[in-house]
Amino acid sequence: MNSNKVSAFLITNQGNISSEYIPIIRQRLEQLDDNRSFALMSVSMKSPFVALLLSIFLGSLGIDRFYIGDNTNGAIKLIVGLVILPIVSVLTLGIGSLLYIGYVLDWFLIMGATKKKNAEKVMLYL
C-alpha cells in the first residue's frame, strides 16, 4: 500500500483507533498489497463518542459494552444493573448505591476501550 493511502487511512481513522497501535498499524499497512487493502477499508469501526453516550444513558444495562463487542463485560454490567444492584440498594437502605460508582468510572474508560477494540479489528485484517 503506498504511503499516501496509509496516511489517508490513519488520518481518517485517528479518532477511532488507540494511539498506541498507530505505529504498528502504519508499518503493517505499508507492507500490505493493494488487494488486501480493499478488505481493510470495509472494516466497520465503532464511534467512541457513541459508546460514551451509550455508557452515560444505557451503561447500567451494559449496552455500551455490547456496542463495542465486549460481550462478557456487557453481560456482567447487565446482570449487576438489573439484579444485584437493586437488591443491594434495597437491603442496605441506599448504601448499595455506591456500586453506581463503577458505572460512572466506565464513562471515562469506554472511549479508550472502543479505540482499542477498533485497533484490534484493524490488526486482524493486517
Coordinates of all heavy atoms in Angstrom, one line a residue, residues 11-48:
I11 N -5.2 9.1 9.0 CA -5.8 10.4 9.3 C -7.4 10.3 9.4 O -8.0 10.8 10.3 CB -5.5 11.4 8.2 CG1 -4.0 11.8 8.3 CG2 -6.4 12.7 8.3 CD1 -3.5 12.6 7.2
T12 N -8.0 9.5 8.5 CA -9.4 9.3 8.6 C -9.8 8.6 9.9 O -10.9 8.9 10.4 CB -9.8 8.4 7.4 OG1 -9.4 9.1 6.2 CG2 -11.3 8.2 7.4
N13 N -9.0 7.7 10.4 CA -9.4 6.9 11.5 C -8.7 7.2 12.8 O -8.8 6.4 13.8 CB -9.2 5.4 11.1 CG -10.2 4.9 10.1 OD1 -11.4 5.0 10.2 ND2 -9.6 4.5 8.9
Q14 N -8.0 8.3 12.8 CA -7.2 8.5 14.0 C -8.0 8.7 15.3 O -7.5 8.4 16.4 CB -6.3 9.8 13.8 CG -7.0 11.1 13.7 CD -6.0 12.2 13.4 OE1 -4.9 12.0 13.3 NE2 -6.6 13.4 13.2
G15 N -9.2 9.2 15.2 CA -10.1 9.3 16.3 C -10.7 8.1 16.8 O -11.3 8.0 17.8
N16 N -10.6 7.0 15.9 CA -11.3 5.7 16.2 C -10.3 4.7 16.7 O -10.7 3.6 17.0 CB -12.1 5.3 15.0 CG -13.2 6.2 14.7 OD1 -13.8 6.8 15.5 ND2 -13.6 6.2 13.4
I17 N -9.0 4.9 16.6 CA -8.0 3.9 16.9 C -7.1 4.4 18.0 O -6.7 5.5 18.0 CB -7.1 3.6 15.6 CG1 -8.0 3.0 14.5 CG2 -6.0 2.6 16.0 CD1 -7.2 2.8 13.2
S18 N -6.8 3.5 18.9 CA -5.9 3.8 20.0 C -4.6 4.2 19.5 O -4.0 3.5 18.7 CB -5.8 2.6 21.0 OG -5.0 2.9 22.1
S19 N -4.0 5.3 20.0 CA -2.8 5.8 19.5 C -1.6 4.9 19.7 O -0.6 4.9 19.0 CB -2.5 7.2 20.2 OG -2.3 7.0 21.6
E20 N -1.7 4.0 20.7 CA -0.5 3.1 20.9 C -0.4 2.1 19.8 O 0.7 1.5 19.6 CB -0.7 2.3 22.3 CG -1.9 1.5 22.3 CD -2.3 1.0 23.7 OE1 -2.3 1.9 24.6 OE2 -2.6 -0.2 23.9
Y21 N -1.4 1.9 19.0 CA -1.4 0.9 17.9 C -1.0 1.6 16.6 O -0.7 0.9 15.6 CB -2.8 0.3 17.7 CG -3.1 -0.8 18.8 CD1 -3.8 -0.4 19.9 CD2 -2.8 -2.1 18.6 CE1 -4.2 -1.3 20.9 CE2 -3.1 -3.0 19.6 CZ -3.8 -2.7 20.7 OH -4.1 -3.6 21.6
I22 N -1.0 2.9 16.5 CA -0.7 3.6 15.2 C 0.6 3.2 14.6 O 0.6 2.9 13.4 CB -0.9 5.1 15.4 CG1 -2.3 5.5 15.8 CG2 -0.4 5.9 14.2 CD1 -3.3 5.3 14.8
P23 N 1.7 3.2 15.3 CA 3.0 2.8 14.7 C 3.0 1.4 14.1 O 3.5 1.2 13.0 CB 4.0 2.9 15.8 CG 3.4 3.8 16.8 CD 2.0 3.6 16.7
I24 N 2.4 0.5 14.8 CA 2.3 -0.9 14.3 C 1.4 -1.0 13.1 O 1.8 -1.7 12.1 CB 1.8 -1.8 15.5 CG1 2.7 -1.8 16.7 CG2 1.6 -3.3 14.9 CD1 2.1 -2.4 17.9
I25 N 0.3 -0.3 13.2 CA -0.6 -0.4 12.0 C 0.0 0.3 10.8 O -0.1 -0.2 9.7 CB -2.0 0.3 12.4 CG1 -2.7 -0.6 13.4 CG2 -2.8 0.6 11.2 CD1 -4.0 0.1 14.0
R26 N 0.7 1.4 11.0 CA 1.4 2.1 9.9 C 2.4 1.2 9.2 O 2.4 1.1 8.0 CB 2.1 3.4 10.4 CG 2.9 4.1 9.3 CD 3.6 5.3 9.8 NE 2.7 6.4 10.2 CZ 2.1 7.2 9.3 NH1 2.3 7.1 8.0 NH2 1.3 8.1 9.8
Q27 N 3.2 0.5 10.0 CA 4.2 -0.4 9.5 C 3.6 -1.5 8.7 O 4.0 -1.8 7.6 CB 5.0 -1.0 10.6 CG 6.1 -1.9 10.2 CD 6.9 -2.5 11.3 OE1 6.4 -2.5 12.5 NE2 8.0 -3.1 11.1
R28 N 2.5 -2.1 9.2 CA 1.9 -3.2 8.5 C 1.1 -2.7 7.3 O 1.0 -3.5 6.3 CB 0.9 -4.0 9.5 CG 1.7 -4.7 10.5 CD 0.8 -5.6 11.3 NE 1.5 -6.3 12.4 CZ 0.9 -7.1 13.2 NH1 -0.4 -7.3 13.2 NH2 1.6 -7.7 14.1
L29 N 0.5 -1.6 7.3 CA -0.2 -1.0 6.2 C 0.8 -0.8 5.0 O 0.5 -1.0 3.9 CB -0.9 0.3 6.5 CG -2.2 0.2 7.3 CD1 -2.7 1.6 7.7 CD2 -3.2 -0.5 6.4
E30 N 2.0 -0.3 5.3 CA 3.0 -0.1 4.3 C 3.4 -1.3 3.6 O 3.8 -1.3 2.4 CB 4.2 0.7 4.9 CG 3.9 2.1 5.3 CD 4.9 2.8 6.0 OE1 5.9 2.1 6.5 OE2 4.8 4.0 6.2
Q31 N 3.3 -2.5 4.3 CA 3.7 -3.7 3.7 C 2.5 -4.5 3.0 O 2.7 -5.5 2.3 CB 4.3 -4.7 4.8 CG 5.5 -4.1 5.4 CD 5.9 -4.9 6.6 OE1 5.2 -5.8 7.1 NE2 7.1 -4.5 7.2
L32 N 1.3 -3.9 3.1 CA 0.1 -4.5 2.6 C 0.0 -4.3 1.1 O 0.2 -3.2 0.6 CB -1.1 -3.9 3.4 CG -2.4 -4.6 3.2 CD1 -2.4 -6.0 3.9 CD2 -3.5 -3.8 3.9
D33 N -0.4 -5.4 0.4 CA -0.6 -5.3 -1.0 C -2.0 -4.6 -1.2 O -2.9 -4.7 -0.3 CB -0.5 -6.6 -1.8 CG -1.5 -7.6 -1.3 OD1 -2.2 -7.4 -0.3 OD2 -1.5 -8.7 -2.0
D34 N -2.2 -4.1 -2.4 CA -3.5 -3.4 -2.7 C -4.7 -4.2 -2.7 O -5.8 -3.8 -2.3 CB -3.4 -2.7 -4.1 CG -2.5 -1.4 -4.0 OD1 -2.4 -0.9 -2.9 OD2 -2.0 -1.0 -5.1
N35 N -4.6 -5.5 -3.0 CA -5.7 -6.4 -3.0 C -6.3 -6.6 -1.5 O -7.5 -6.6 -1.3 CB -5.4 -7.8 -3.5 CG -5.1 -7.8 -5.0 OD1 -5.5 -6.9 -5.7 ND2 -4.2 -8.7 -5.4
R36 N -5.4 -6.7 -0.6 CA -5.9 -6.8 0.8 C -6.3 -5.5 1.4 O -7.1 -5.4 2.4 CB -4.8 -7.4 1.7 CG -4.5 -8.9 1.2 CD -3.9 -9.7 2.2 NE -4.5 -9.5 3.6 CZ -3.9 -10.0 4.7 NH1 -2.8 -10.7 4.6 NH2 -4.5 -9.8 5.8
S37 N -5.9 -4.4 0.8 CA -6.2 -3.1 1.4 C -7.7 -2.8 1.2 O -8.3 -2.1 2.0 CB -5.4 -2.0 0.8 OG -5.7 -1.8 -0.6
F38 N -8.3 -3.4 0.2 CA -9.8 -3.2 -0.1 C -10.6 -3.8 1.1 O -11.6 -3.2 1.5 CB -10.2 -3.8 -1.4 CG -9.7 -3.0 -2.6 CD1 -8.8 -3.6 -3.5 CD2 -10.1 -1.7 -2.8 CE1 -8.4 -2.8 -4.6 CE2 -9.6 -0.9 -3.9 CZ -8.8 -1.5 -4.7
A39 N -10.2 -4.9 1.6 CA -10.8 -5.6 2.7 C -10.7 -4.7 3.9 O -11.6 -4.6 4.7 CB -10.3 -7.0 2.9
L40 N -9.6 -4.1 4.1 CA -9.3 -3.3 5.3 C -10.2 -2.1 5.3 O -10.7 -1.6 6.3 CB -7.9 -2.8 5.3 CG -7.5 -1.9 6.5 CD1 -7.6 -2.7 7.8 CD2 -6.0 -1.5 6.3
M41 N -10.5 -1.5 4.1 CA -11.4 -0.3 4.0 C -12.8 -0.6 4.4 O -13.6 0.3 4.7 CB -11.3 0.2 2.6 CG -10.0 0.7 2.1 SD -9.3 1.9 3.2 CE -7.6 2.0 2.6
S42 N -13.2 -1.9 4.4 CA -14.5 -2.3 4.7 C -14.7 -2.6 6.2 O -15.8 -2.9 6.6 CB -15.0 -3.5 3.9 OG -14.2 -4.6 4.3
V43 N -13.7 -2.4 7.0 CA -13.8 -2.7 8.5 C -14.7 -1.6 9.1 O -14.4 -0.4 8.9 CB -12.4 -2.7 9.1 CG1 -12.5 -2.7 10.6 CG2 -11.5 -3.8 8.6
S44 N -15.7 -2.0 9.7 CA -16.6 -1.0 10.4 C -16.1 -0.7 11.8 O -16.0 -1.7 12.6 CB -18.0 -1.5 10.4 OG -18.1 -2.6 11.3
M45 N -15.8 0.5 12.0 CA -15.3 0.9 13.3 C -16.4 1.6 14.1 O -17.3 2.2 13.6 CB -14.1 1.9 13.2 CG -13.0 1.2 12.5 SD -11.5 2.1 12.8 CE -10.5 1.5 11.4
K46 N -16.4 1.3 15.4 CA -17.4 1.9 16.3 C -16.9 3.3 16.8 O -15.7 3.5 17.0 CB -17.5 1.0 17.6 CG -17.9 -0.4 17.2 CD -19.3 -0.5 16.5 CE -19.7 -1.9 16.3 NZ -20.9 -2.1 15.7
S47 N -17.8 4.2 16.9 CA -17.5 5.5 17.3 C -17.4 5.6 18.8 O -18.2 5.2 19.6 CB -18.7 6.5 16.9 OG -18.6 7.7 17.5
P48 N -16.2 6.1 19.3 CA -16.0 6.3 20.7 C -17.0 7.3 21.3 O -17.4 7.1 22.5 CB -14.6 6.9 20.8 CG -13.9 6.4 19.6 CD -15.0 6.4 18.5

